[in-house]
Amino acid sequence: DDVIVGVASRLIPDKGHRFLLDGFARAVGQHPRLRLVVAGDGPLRAHLESYAGRRLDPEAFRFLGFVADVKRFMAACDVVALPTMPQLSEGFGLAALEAMASARPVIATRVGSLPEVVVHDETGFLVPPGNEEQLEKSLGALASSPNLRTSMGASGRQRALGIFSLDSAA
């Protein structure tokens, strides 16, 4: 019955992990079935794990380190988060596209190319960077509605395979 929120990225400044942890901490209070799984490694790992330990119940989160099979990771998630901050931006939202191809709804920040990949209220939610309240609401909406997760996931998959397919790109 848990709802797994996953994030897969390097643990570096401005990828937005601390923002995600803060928004998640707010949401898990209202939706105790939420679980956060962080795939990736980097210089901020120890800091982020310590920060999560101060904000969250140890059962609510897990840091996995480097994950070689991203497709399998995405399939294990119910929701995928991309909390990138504007200082870093995103050249192309490949992780969002991978999540959508796996039929997972995406919560992403309105940064860089992410709004070109994720369609707000259709394939997931776009939130302003740093807006913990919007992130909390988006997490809560997906945590409380399996039908919304399924619908957004299906729309995301259709978009990923249609607009962003290899044939379309070529």
Side-chain angles (χ1 to χ4, degrees), residues 62-118:
R62 180 171 296 161
F63 281 73
L64 304 176
F66 176 76
V67 172
D69 191 347
V70 174
K71 184 177 179 180
R72 188 170 174 198
F73 173 78
M74 296 289 180
C77 297
D78 296 299
V79 176
V80 175
L82 290 106
T84 305
M85 304 314 280
Q87 298 85 337
L88 184 64
S89 191
E90 291 285 349
F92 182 74
L94 183 59
L97 199 55
E98 290 171 328
M100 290 164 50
S102 297
R104 299 302 180 255
V106 175
I107 300 174
T109 49
R110 288 188 187 276
V111 170
S113 65
L114 291 172
E116 296 174 38
V117 178
V118 179

Side-chain angles (χ1 to χ4, degrees), residues 110-131:
R110 288 188 187 276
V111 170
S113 65
L114 291 172
E116 296 174 38
V117 178
V118 179
V119 179
H120 184 70
D121 282 338
E122 183 180 320
T123 65
F125 295 112
L126 292 166
V127 300
N131 188 325

